[in-house]
Amino acid sequence: MAQTQRFNHFDREMQGWGLLALSALAVAGVLALGVAGSRTPGIQDGLPENFFQSMLVTHVTFSVSVWYLAVFGALCAWVASRRVAGGWLVPGAYLGAIGLRLAWGGFLCLLAPAMMGWGEPSLNNYIPVMVHPVFYSGLGLLFLGVALPVFRLGFVGIDDRDGVGMVLAAAGGVYFCALLSVGLAWSAAPAQDPIPYNEMLFWGGGHLLQFVNTLLMLAAWQAAGSAIYGQPPIPPVLLRWLALSVLVTGFAGPALYLIFPVTSGTLHSGFTRLYQIGLILQPVIALLALARFQIRAGWARYGAGAVGLTLSALMFTLGGAMGYLVGEGDTRTPAHYHLMIGAVTLAFMVLFFLVILPRLGRATSRGRAVLTAFALYAGGQTLHALALFGAGVLGIARKTAGASQGLDSPLKTIVMGVMGGGALLAVIGGVLFVGLAGWKLLVAPRKGSAPAN
């Protein structure tokens, strides 16, 4: 009986994290229309001052921080449920439920400033903020809420039959390094104007969170691939070594704050080099292993899930290539990271339909509607990024909207119009995904507990 109760507890917790993730993605999609509209000819002129900046800050927060970290919470609950299904009694089982409530509080606090017009937008890198106590409180609640189920991994242990457990453990270690880096920066950063202050505050931790996001993408590829093909697409031994190497590299992040002043250019460039060392090789190796497996297995026979994984891998590859071609301050930089974060998001979409919903006993369709959602999102995000890249080549600056973009030629106007169209397609795909997954999560009847994956 104890085992059944604990399984049900993790089952409900995973459902709660999944609902938080879908809610964040839905909010981010709505805000994405505001961001794209602020840069789209014919729409931008009728929008109020600071609309673009406020929408951009909140969109990035929900599309990256809240969405990704909520999926992290769901994966932690999934790992715990795999251990419990094997007969383990877990101390601290309810840490995840407490963390989920804190994260929902953070969700509301992060949304309120944009909706109420509170604070000024700070367009610093990685974790842009609305300069208002409620927004900062929201970040604190979100980070603490996710930290609790991550911390619980130490009690649960890791079921590592496919390497996913090791990847999540490594992601947890790097996550705490990111939080420590933010704390060290906060303790040392001198008070000054909001944008440079927030840049110093989140520069190091923001870099390390990219390590976490990449590890979560690898976990999603492996878990969803195992569900599709019946065996891990990336060799588990290889995946464990890749995760360990990212973890070891991530430990260097807080150490940089102990060596260099928070205001130094050396610290700033040190995190850039750390990012290059930690993340270039590992995903590429995993990508090659995944591609080899899918070619061997014949992905076309496996439906929407296999197509989704393939599109995620292709987006990651294209986005990585763009990273070597970014310019100084133009829209080639957001083109690069829109494809990278799009690859992670698409991997999480596949994870929902192939792992999370089946684990919760929800019957899921792998047919045309799901495939349409994947294709619209991937195609729209890719079109959006290619248009941004072309706009950057033409000299259009990033983080600008309206007349400040300088759309002084028909070609620039056309390119930014295509950018808006791509964003609309991606949002439609995201809305379709949220609708399908949300209905399965909240409305569709349970078909009985799925076996542990």
Side-chain angles (χ1 to χ4, degrees), residues 393-413:
V393 172
L394 294 172
I396 297 177
R398 62 183 297 207
K399 299 181 181 179
T400 59
S404 61
Q405 295 180 101
L407 303 184
D408 52 9
S409 72
L411 182 57
K412 289 182 179 180
T413 301

Side-chain angles (χ1 to χ4, degrees), residues 3-12 14-15 78 81-82 84-85 355-364 444-453:
Q3 293 178 13
T4 301
Q5 290 174 343
R6 290 188 183 275
F7 174 80
N8 289 336
H9 165 74
F10 289 121
D11 193 10
R12 289 191 298 272
M14 193 189 317
Q15 184 181 32
W78 177 61
S81 71
R82 297 207 304 183
V84 168
V355 177
I356 293 177
L357 290 174
R359 176 67 202 182
L360 294 173
R362 265 54 177 188
T364 60
R446 285 178 61 92
K447 303 298 183 181
S449 297
N453 290 320

Side-chain angles (χ1 to χ4, degrees), residues 176-186 200-201 204-205 208 253-255 257 271:
F176 283 113
C177 287
L179 298 185
L180 178 58
S181 294
V182 173
L184 291 170
W186 175 78
M200 281 191 291
L201 185 62
L208 294 183
Y257 284 99
F271 272 103

